[in-house]
Every structure is written in structure tokens, then in C-alpha cells.
Amino acid sequence: MSVSPGDRNKSAMEFVETADKIEARAMQVCKRWPKSYMFIITQRTVNLASELYEHVQKANAIIPQTEDERILRVKELEMALGANYAFARKIERAYSLFPICGEKKDLSEHAMEEKSNHILEEFMNLCLAEEDAIKGNLHYTRNMTLSGKRSKDKE
């Protein structure tokens, strides 16, 4: 029996999909930013989105059976959370410096501001959703029951 979309719970693995959306959207948006900011902010913003996705992928690949594996997964999730925070701050910084929708000659200043506001809101919503998903995953990982022993304790 299927569950209606409104009654579905968020998946614990949603953090992987959201990180993928953040990285893909960052690559789309940042390529339109002024060339003069390429080495100052654009590359770092895209790199942070990629770091976020990479740490999420690494964490997702670790199915903790031992305490050492749990520690490794928690470390990757914490790194992903840090990259998410840093990415959100870079997007806000870019927004404060130039229209993050990119310069468009056919748009008025007001239209560019509206479009930039929409992009900023989109990224902030994605980052908040990612933060919640990662924190939920961290909580679950820290409290899960493990089946194996700590690697050092193995004979």
C-alpha cells in the first residue's frame, strides 16, 4: 500500500539528495557571476558545495558496525555540516557584493534584485534542509546500536 505524499516522513538519506541539489545549483548559478570575482569568491563557493557533497557521500558509504566506523561517519557528517555552513555564508557574501543572478542587460536593476533574492532564498532553504537532515543523521549515528567491537579490541 502506498503512502500519500503529504503523509510521508523525510528520509534519513535525504541529506544526499539535498547536497546533490546544492552542488548542481551552485555550479549553474556561479558560472554567471562576474569574472572579476572568479578567484575571490566564485571558485570557493563552488568548492564548498562540492566539499559538502563529497563529505555526505563519504558518510553515506560508511555503515557503522564498529565504534571506529561510527567515529569516522560522525567525522564526515560534521565536515559536511561545516561545509554547509561555510557555503551558506559565501552565498550571503556574494549576494552582498553583486547580483547573484548574474548581470543581465535585458533586466532592470529591480528585476535583477528580485531574481537574486529568489536565488538567495532558494539556497538558504536548501542549506537549512541540509542542516536539519545532517543533524538528524548525526543524532541517529551517535545513538545507534553497533553489532561489532571496536577495531582496537579485535583479536
Side-chain angles (χ1 to χ4, degrees):
M1 181 172 166
S2 64
V3 178
S4 65
D7 295 334
R8 292 180 188 153
N9 292 330
K10 287 187 174 182
S11 165
M13 303 319 272
E14 186 178 325
F15 72 109
V16 177
E17 291 176 26
T18 306
D20 182 53
K21 287 178 189 173
I22 289 170
E23 183 185 40
R25 188 69 174 124
M27 289 176 180
Q28 290 172 341
V29 169
C30 291
K31 72 181 180 184
R32 294 186 226 125
W33 288 2
K35 299 269 186 261
S36 59
Y37 288 96
M38 176 66 73
F39 300 108
I40 299 169
I41 195 167
T42 307
Q43 285 183 345
R44 185 65 181 136
T45 303
V46 173
N47 287 344
L48 284 167
S50 294
E51 277 182 41
L52 166 62
Y53 184 68
E54 289 165 10
H55 287 298
V56 160
Q57 286 289 352
K58 288 176 187 176
N60 191 43
I62 301 167
I63 311 297
Q65 300 295 316
T66 67
E67 186 62 28
D68 288 342
E69 291 170 341
R70 180 199 326 246
I71 290 167
L72 191 56
R73 182 177 171 101
V74 165
K75 178 184 170 199
E76 289 298 338
L77 288 168
E78 288 172 342
M79 297 288 284
L81 193 58
N84 188 53
Y85 289 145
F87 173 79
R89 299 301 77 81
K90 282 290 185 213
I91 290 291
E92 289 175 330
R93 174 59 48 95
Y95 177 80
S96 73
L97 295 171
F98 52 84
I100 61 174
C101 67
E103 294 285 335
K104 307 228 182 209
K105 293 179 180 154
D106 58 330
L107 291 179
S108 68
E109 190 172 317
H110 176 73
M112 281 194 300
E113 185 177 328
E114 286 293 315
K115 193 167 175 101
S116 291
N117 287 342
H118 175 72
I119 292 169
L120 178 66
E121 183 178 350
E122 176 188 3
F123 275 125
M124 291 306 111
N125 288 337
L126 284 169
C127 287
L128 288 172
E130 184 68 350
E131 176 184 355
D132 288 345
I134 292 171
K135 284 182 176 181
N137 220 280
L138 272 166
H139 177 75
Y140 173 78
T141 301
R142 287 179 175 139
N143 295 302
M144 69 189 307
T145 304
L146 301 174
S147 61
K149 293 181 176 182
R150 190 176 178 107
S151 296
K152 293 177 188 173
D153 299 337
K154 290 184 179 177
E155 297 174 29

